[in-house]
Amino acid sequence: MRQRPLNVATPDLSWQAVALGAARDTSESMQDLLALPSPRSMPLSMGYLPPDLQATELLSTALKQVAKQPALWDRLPLEGMEPLRSWFAREIGQGNIFTPHEVIICPGGQAAIASTLRALLAPGSTLLVEAPTYIGVISAARAAGITLVPVPTDGDGVRPDLLEATLRETGARVFYCQPTFANPSGTLLSQKRRNDVLGVISDARAFLIEDDWARDLYLGTPPPAPLAAQDSDGHVIYIRSLAKSAAPGLRIAAIMARGAALARLRATRGGEDFFVSGPLQAAALNIVTSSGWKRHLNNARNALTERRDTLMAALRSELGHDIRINSPQGGMHLWVQLEDHVSDVAIASDLARQGVLVSPGKVWFPADPPGSYLRLTFAAAPSILREGARIIATTLKQKSGPQSG
């Protein structure tokens, strides 16, 4: 037997490369987004409410109250606490399309997405996604060995004609989308297209995974009802999270499904982490049923509206009207289109060296992007947004101009 030498200053870990084998397809871009920013940086790349907009007081009060209930530390149903499942089911509206027994509580939206992909898709099968799409679903699909095929979008969301053609050509039976304030583009799927997309999915006898991440974060008129509210035959798998609208640490989300898909999801979740922490579920229920929840959401929406307008005005002031920016009616991100010869990856790297953190558009496409983009989060304090816009504008002016070579 080989003896391990004592007092070796540098351990030999080279054996691990052989034992682990070939690396899996993982997303470094996802890890970059999750990395905690330096206190001195200007984060315009985060995907959560900043501390000053989080529901911290509600969370603190809720946790103090649930701490008095020792039974919450015992085993819970795999699907989650029934009162919390009932709340998620009621939030769909439109006649309560889901019952509480068709709801499964998960530890956050990303876990819900990953579980849903594993339940519905075998390794090597095909998942259709909007282009661009949420980087988290790209990461989860690749980690599960699932092939991603993009479906083009425009200002009204995914194009139903191209969705229909792609379903037919690929034979895919699952489509992931964010019809309400898509991340990163901020697009709201138009009402006509909502009906058309559901018709296409129904005709193809396919599933649609509806990730309703920003339903609480509308900036003005409330959005249309979820696609799930119009689906009577179990085509829509619905995902909704509280982490985006409350605080990143409230890792509570729900998957809603019907029929055999629900059974698959239960089986998948049962093999992962059994159930979500009881005190966290109880705290979540306490928060969303409290009198302060709507007040918190109203305050967050008002602040996000002001900050969206601040960042857009600052960019317009610095760059004029030549810059192409969406004006999202919800969520927390601007989608900025750059000149085609300007590398979004290079711009993001230059800005990071100057302390401004943005997300290059390339990482939000599962295949070759049609252009060069930046995703800018407008949730930060107005002073940070204005200074960040100044640095972004200066950097873009330096990189723009005639293409060399």
Side-chain angles (χ1 to χ4, degrees):
M1 179 184 295
R2 179 175 176 269
Q3 297 295 318
R4 179 175 176 174
L6 300 177
N7 302 319
V8 175
T10 304
D12 180 8
L13 304 179
S14 59
W15 65 270
Q16 293 189 2
V18 178
L20 291 171
R24 296 186 179 93
D25 192 349
T26 58
S27 174
E28 292 183 6
S29 301
M30 186 71 174
Q31 296 175 40
D32 291 342
L33 283 179
L34 293 174
L36 295 178
S38 163
R40 294 185 297 249
S41 67
M42 287 174 272
L44 304 185
S45 61
M46 58 188 171
Y48 297 98
L49 294 175
D52 65 311
L53 298 184
Q54 293 170 15
T56 49
E57 290 186 13
L58 291 176
L59 278 165
S60 177
T61 300
L63 288 170
K64 288 177 182 176
Q65 293 179 2
V66 304
K68 302 173 184 177
Q69 305 175 49
L72 291 173
W73 292 105
D74 203 351
R75 291 178 57 184
L76 294 176
L78 181 150
E79 298 88 350
M81 295 173 56
E82 186 161 346
L84 182 59
R85 291 152 58 198
S86 297
W87 180 86
F88 273 110
R90 289 195 304 272
E91 282 287 293
I92 294 284
Q94 303 288 315
N96 295 336
I97 195 74
F98 293 107
T99 70
H101 300 288
E102 294 168 330
V103 180
I104 302 173
I105 303 300
C106 298
Q110 185 63 25
I113 290 170
S115 293
T116 302
L117 296 187
R118 284 193 292 271
L120 300 184
L121 294 151
S125 55
T126 299
L127 173 68
L128 305 189
V129 296
E130 299 159 301
T133 192
Y134 173 48
I135 192 174
V137 78
I138 296 175
S139 176
R142 288 176 174 166
I146 294 166
T147 300
L148 290 162
V149 174
V151 183
T153 62
D154 59 23
D156 289 324
V158 68
R159 288 182 49 183
D161 59 329
L162 296 179
L163 174 61
E164 181 178 23
T166 309
L167 283 165
R168 183 174 59 250
E169 292 168 6
T170 62
R173 287 296 176 265
V174 185
F175 171 51
Y176 167 92
C177 71
Q178 296 180 321
T180 303
F181 315 129
N183 180 13
S185 67
T187 303
L188 178 66
L189 187 64
S190 68
Q191 187 58 60
K192 181 182 184 306
R193 288 199 181 177
R194 286 171 180 256
N195 297 331
D196 291 344
V197 165
L198 283 173
V200 167
I201 292 293
S202 177
D203 290 345
R205 298 182 179 272
F207 288 103
L208 185 152
I209 302 171
E210 180 177 13
D211 183 357
D212 206 7
W213 76 281
R215 176 150 298 273
D216 292 324
L217 302 180
Y218 59 86
L219 310 179
T221 304
L227 296 181
Q230 305 172 52
D231 169 46
S232 59
D233 296 323
H235 291 283
V236 178
I237 311 295
Y238 184 73
I239 295 175
R240 183 162 177 191
S241 171
L242 294 177
K244 300 293 188 181
S245 51
L250 188 61
R251 307 306 301 166
I252 294 290
I255 309 172
M256 302 177 216
R258 303 165 73 190
L262 176 63
R264 289 277 185 97
L265 283 160
R266 281 189 181 129
T268 300
R269 288 292 306 142
E272 291 175 344
D273 53 16
F274 300 154
F275 55 86
V276 179
S277 164
L280 196 59
Q281 290 191 60
L285 180 63
N286 183 300
I287 289 169
V288 297
T289 57
S290 71
S291 59
W293 178 240
K294 289 185 178 179
R295 184 166 58 252
H296 158 70
L297 292 180
N298 285 333
N299 291 338
R301 291 177 194 132
N302 290 337
L304 288 173
T305 301
E306 176 190 358
R307 295 177 187 193
R308 175 200 62 188
D309 296 345
T310 295
L311 182 55
M312 290 189 68
L315 290 169
R316 295 285 188 206
S317 176
E318 295 283 350
L319 294 167
H321 289 277
D322 292 336
I323 188 170
R324 289 163 287 184
I325 315 174
N326 69 329
S327 182
Q329 300 306 300
M332 60 182 79
H333 310 297
L334 296 184
W335 188 235
V336 179
Q337 186 170 2
L338 309 178
E339 297 178 35
D340 287 344
H341 68 273
V342 176
S343 166
D344 50 11
V345 175
I347 288 289
S349 296
D350 285 351
L351 290 171
R353 286 191 287 270
Q354 300 174 72
V356 180
L357 306 181
V358 304
S359 182
K362 182 177 182 179
V363 302
W364 301 88
F365 290 90
D368 294 330
S372 187
Y373 302 86
L374 294 177
R375 193 199 73 165
L376 308 179
T377 305
F378 53 79
S383 59
I384 291 176
L385 297 175
R386 284 189 283 267
E387 178 62 10
R390 185 191 66 78
I391 296 173
I392 290 170
T394 300
T395 304
L396 287 176
K397 288 174 182 176
Q398 293 171 348
K399 294 291 184 181
S400 298
Q403 186 174 5
S404 61

